[in-house]
Amino acid sequence: MAGPTPKAFQRFDRSIVEGPIGPAVWRLAWPTMLQNVIAGLQGIIDHVMVGHFVGYTANAAIGVSWQIIIVVIVFITSVFSGMAVLVARFAGANEPAKVNRVVYQAFLVALALSVLMAAVGYVAAPALLDIVHAAPEVRREALPFLRAMFLGILGMTMFFMLSGAFRAAGDPRTPLRLGVAMTALTVFFNVLLIPKLGTIGAAVGTIASSTIVAVYGMWRLFSPGSVIHFRRGMDIAPDLGIIRSLFRFGLPTGVQGIAMNIAGVLLLRFIGSLEHSAAAQAAYAVGYTELFSLITWTSVGLMGASATIAGQNLGAGNPGRAMHGVAVASRIGLGVAATVGAMFLVIPDYLLGVFGMTEPLVTSIGKQLLMYLSVSGLFVTVALSYTGGLQGTGDTRSPLYISLVSQIAVPVGLCTWLQATRGLQPGDIWLAIVLGHFTRAALSVVRFRQGRWRHIRVDIEPARP
């Protein structure tokens, strides 16, 4: 096989696989962390506005709806996890033509799945809200929001596809630009629409912004200076071999994500069974879905950095460097989680008050939740960093099995047992969340350090002439 040309060699950032590992991890991590923090702030702004203009039932409606939407998005974007495995490995091996082919096939699959899920989700929305036991006043606000988000899901899935592709290829700054643009547009649209349309205005704003950014991002792929380049006249036919590889690596990640979010939906059912269910759902929507995202979204950014570092270095034949890079990413995450967790303990009234949550019962439940989350964040960031390392190397099955144990068996099992024996209290559910995150962190670290991912092979068939 002929070696890469000098021009092709310079397309990828070789500092990821050569030179000091700490700066390389940070160069990958900070744009993704910042992008996700900005995305989290977008959700916070949505909740703040609807909380003030509509009320805390609207906060609960958005939180409940997003738990459902994320299950669907995770399934669709599972193909992007498979794409990231292939892209990172080929970028590390310095094979740009294979990178381009993989990303294009991922685009075709994501387009088809988005159209299918939009139709199914719109019809199934009422039944999905029944599953989570949304309170009647929450359901009235949630149904139009949920249906609108399903219909406009294409822009969001394309955004995640583009972000994952560029990041796996070693370019985290393009996803940052796309994320900043989408957040700015969403805020702009929501300031205009939420006061007039209420909860549905938040959905329309998100749909409009994600669609605009997705169109721009696809145009960017045709730029000659892009690390991923779609040339005019390229083969546009589906490649079943690549598509099978996308699902081979991506489907376990998709099932893992669905399992985790189903666990979230089941926790919502437990919350819905509490004596003051609407207040608890509002506290959960703001405390867990929004404020905790300051930890989870930065940790998801580190997960992406870990996946790229591990995948590219394995592709370049540097497994020891891959292991070191993942450990560095987890240490960065622990610093962020400790800082945000301290805020949860020191200024919980202020954080909840920003969302208009001033009613004594809601505030009391919310403060209790933040106390538990201040500890849980430390486990989440370690778990996600090592999950990224496993997934980036192609071991996407281990995180699936770990999630089934830690995100379903542990928290749902504990809540089920307590509900059957003495009745549930909010603190029981919050404790179950912490124990689940601890289990996930411990199992992820142990599995990665076993090093079985070193022997996973990744390749695709040569391009058709």
Side-chain angles (χ1 to χ4, degrees):
M1 180 182 295
T5 64
K7 181 178 179 181
F9 180 81
Q10 296 179 5
R11 295 188 64 176
F12 302 114
D13 179 7
R14 303 307 291 174
S15 70
I16 296 173
V17 297
E18 300 169 357
I21 188 67
V25 173
W26 181 245
R27 277 193 297 273
L28 281 173
W30 79 259
T32 309
M33 292 170 65
L34 180 58
Q35 173 195 345
N36 288 329
V37 168
I38 292 172
L41 290 175
Q42 170 191 319
I44 289 174
I45 291 170
D46 287 355
H47 271 284
V48 169
M49 293 189 68
V50 298
H52 284 287
F53 284 102
V54 185
Y56 75 84
T57 55
N59 283 327
I62 290 180
V64 167
S65 297
W66 271 109
Q67 285 292 326
I68 296 170
I69 294 165
I70 288 174
V71 173
V72 177
I73 290 178
V74 165
F75 174 74
I76 296 175
T77 57
S78 64
V79 70
F80 307 154
S81 299
M83 171 196 69
V85 171
L86 298 172
V87 168
R89 190 71 69 92
F90 296 144
N94 200 31
E95 298 180 291
K98 289 185 177 180
V99 169
N100 298 336
R101 289 173 57 204
V102 168
V103 175
Y104 177 73
Q105 295 301 318
F107 162 74
L108 293 181
V109 175
L111 179 63
L113 289 176
S114 295
V115 173
L116 174 64
M117 289 299 175
V120 173
Y122 183 88
V123 174
L128 294 173
L129 290 172
D130 288 338
I131 291 175
V132 299
H133 283 181
E137 62 271 28
V138 173
R139 179 189 175 91
R140 284 193 296 270
E141 295 287 343
L143 182 57
F145 179 91
L146 185 59
R147 279 182 158 168
M149 290 299 296
F150 272 125
L151 292 177
I153 202 169
L154 177 60
M156 192 170 298
T157 55
M158 288 298 104
F159 167 75
F160 285 123
M161 187 275 289
L162 292 164
S163 297
F166 281 112
R167 189 177 301 114
D171 174 15
R173 297 195 179 190
T174 294
L176 173 60
R177 297 186 189 102
L178 295 176
V180 170
M182 189 168 80
T183 298
L185 287 170
T186 300
V187 172
F188 171 76
F189 287 129
N190 286 356
V191 168
L192 293 179
L193 298 175
I194 289 177
K196 297 179 180 179
L197 302 178
T199 309
I200 190 67
V204 174
T206 301
I207 292 167
S209 63
S210 61
T211 302
I212 292 171
V213 168
V215 170
Y216 169 76
M218 292 303 301
W219 173 83
R220 183 79 175 83
L221 292 177
F222 288 91
S223 172
S226 174
V227 70
I228 302 168
H229 180 53
F230 287 179
R231 69 183 188 279
R232 290 176 174 81
M234 66 185 294
D235 185 3
I236 62 173
D239 186 318
L240 295 182
I242 295 178
I243 291 173
R244 282 193 295 269
S245 293
L246 295 177
F247 281 103
R248 171 193 166 199
F249 291 109
L251 203 54
T253 301
V255 175
Q256 173 200 352
I258 290 173
M260 291 172 59
N261 285 283
I262 287 176
V265 171
L266 293 175
L267 287 178
L268 280 173
R269 285 178 62 89
F270 287 118
I271 295 171
S273 69
L274 296 173
E275 181 181 1
H276 303 287
S277 61
Q281 285 176 343
Y284 181 84
V286 170
Y288 191 81
T289 307
E290 298 304 329
L291 291 174
F292 195 56
S293 70
L294 296 174
I295 297 175
T296 57
W297 282 113
T298 54
S299 299
V300 167
L302 288 166
M303 182 174 71
S306 293
T308 301
I309 282 285
Q312 288 209 20
N313 278 283
L314 191 56
N318 300 322
R321 182 181 173 89
M323 184 170 286
H324 187 196
V326 172
V328 170
S330 70
R331 289 196 289 269
I332 295 172
L334 283 171
V336 174
T339 301
V340 177
M343 293 171 57
F344 290 171
L345 295 174
V346 175
I347 54 171
D349 290 295
Y350 176 78
L351 294 174
L352 295 170
V354 169
F355 295 87
M357 298 180 66
T358 56
E359 295 189 14
L361 178 60
V362 178
T363 301
S364 175
I365 296 175
K367 289 171 64 176
Q368 183 190 50
L369 172 59
L370 291 180
M371 181 180 68
Y372 281 91
L373 294 181
S374 67
V375 177
S376 199
L378 301 173
F379 302 133
V380 163
T381 197
V382 171
L384 290 179
S385 294
Y386 279 88
T387 295
L390 289 167
Q391 292 177 343
T393 58
D395 183 4
T396 55
R397 292 186 179 183
S398 293
L400 166 60
Y401 302 142
I402 290 170
S403 294
L404 291 175
V405 173
S406 63
Q407 304 303 117
I408 295 182
V410 171
V412 174
L414 178 60
C415 288
T416 301
W417 176 68
L418 291 175
Q419 188 177 55
T421 55
R422 62 168 175 78
L424 272 179
Q425 299 297 320
D428 299 328
I429 301 174
W430 313 152
L431 176 61
I433 291 172
V434 175
L435 293 177
H437 289 160
F438 167 77
T439 304
R440 187 181 181 193
L443 294 177
S444 297
V445 172
V446 169
R447 182 60 176 174
F448 185 78
R449 289 182 175 176
Q450 288 177 338
R452 296 182 182 179
W453 43 266
R454 294 170 182 256
H455 309 294
I456 298 174
R457 294 185 66 251
V458 171
D459 204 358
I460 59 176
E461 296 295 325
R464 289 174 291 189

